[in-house]
Amino acid sequence: MPDTQVRRERARPMSPEERRDHLIDTTLNLLREHGRAVTTRQIAEAAGVAEGTIFRVVESKEELVDLAITRAFEPGALIERIGEIDLDQPLHARLVQLCSILQQRFRATFELMKKVGMVRPADHVHDSPEAVELREYVHALMEGVIGADRNRLSVSAREFLHRLRLLTFAGSHPHITDGQLLTPEEIVDTVLHGLLRSQPAEEETD
């Protein structure tokens, strides 16, 4: 390919939608480092645009920050990563991989919320029709990870995943765990097998 054509392709201007997405993603990355103290100058420099470009996309920095925080709660790469789980692995291995993906997601979200001073996500993050539809899609993907092994469970696949996600959420939070985070293996073993010994230990007698 001639050099002039390569330069022309590299210089292709972004569409308004692409520019908006680029600014939102850039802002989200900076929020994880600087919190709400991030400036429009920092955003513009990181995005490789003039500072005035930001205000042709949004009306204020606060609007861009809100859009970035909302983006953080969208499934995004979570969907891709769940789809990459090797379904030919044993159930335990599949669940550990799923749990690891969820844990990384939760921990990144906790860190972001701490940085921006959030106690809980905004209602629209979970209650909008789009959010509900995406959540159902992610649930279906996770049920697909269990696959035919759902017949081995004593509860429905949805209930099993509900408990797995709850323990992953709690076990990934630094305050809930008093700083002793659970590993994906510990979480999966607890949900799959519980904490009883396979053979009860003999009771001590006086």
Side-chain angles (χ1 to χ4, degrees):
M1 181 182 296
D3 290 344
T4 53
Q5 185 176 347
V6 172
R7 284 197 297 271
R8 216 167 26 242
E9 290 184 0
R10 287 177 179 170
R12 182 183 68 83
M14 289 187 285
S15 69
E17 293 78 12
E18 289 173 331
R19 184 178 297 109
R20 182 177 183 273
D21 281 342
H22 181 52
L23 283 170
I24 291 173
D25 289 338
T26 300
T27 303
L28 177 55
N29 289 334
L30 291 172
L31 284 174
R32 297 188 188 280
E33 182 179 356
H34 303 287
R36 291 183 183 272
V38 65
T39 66
T40 52
R41 173 176 288 186
Q42 288 173 315
I43 295 170
E45 289 178 352
V49 300
E51 193 170 357
T53 300
I54 294 174
F55 299 103
R56 292 199 293 270
V57 175
V58 293
E59 293 185 0
S60 65
K61 187 194 87 170
E62 289 68 28
E63 181 184 351
L64 184 55
V65 166
D66 288 342
L67 288 170
I69 292 173
T70 298
R71 172 70 53 87
F73 289 97
E74 295 173 356
L78 183 69
I79 291 175
E80 288 184 20
R81 295 192 63 196
I82 294 175
E84 292 170 354
I85 295 176
D86 182 0
L87 301 182
D88 290 331
Q89 300 177 94
L91 176 62
H92 184 276
R94 300 197 306 269
L95 291 176
V96 167
Q97 193 171 348
L98 174 62
C99 188
S100 178
I101 293 169
L102 294 176
Q103 186 173 63
Q104 290 171 25
R105 165 85 169 190
F106 285 140
R107 292 184 66 182
T109 301
F110 296 150
E111 285 297 319
L112 175 65
M113 292 176 68
K114 181 180 178 181
K115 277 286 186 182
V116 299
M118 289 181 68
V119 176
R120 60 186 296 274
D123 290 339
H124 71 271
V125 170
H126 292 298
D127 298 341
S128 70
E130 295 81 6
V132 172
E133 183 178 354
L134 276 172
R135 190 159 59 246
E136 285 299 316
Y137 181 68
V138 172
H139 284 167
L141 283 178
M142 292 194 293
E143 288 187 27
V145 172
I146 296 176
D149 283 307
R150 70 184 62 217
N151 296 325
R152 300 169 57 194
L153 303 175
S154 61
V155 296
S156 68
R158 177 159 290 242
E159 176 61 23
F160 177 86
L161 288 168
H162 175 66
R163 299 184 192 186
L164 182 71
R165 288 182 72 253
L166 282 179
L167 186 56
T168 305
F169 179 92
S172 304
H173 198 290
H175 297 311
I176 295 176
T177 61
D178 293 326
Q180 301 180 47
L181 302 183
L182 297 178
T183 67
E185 290 80 4
E186 289 170 336
I187 294 168
V188 171
D189 285 344
T190 301
V191 178
L192 269 184
H193 309 300
L195 297 176
L196 286 176
R197 300 170 190 247
S198 57
Q199 293 294 331
E202 294 184 5
E203 295 184 3
E204 294 183 3
T205 57
D206 294 334

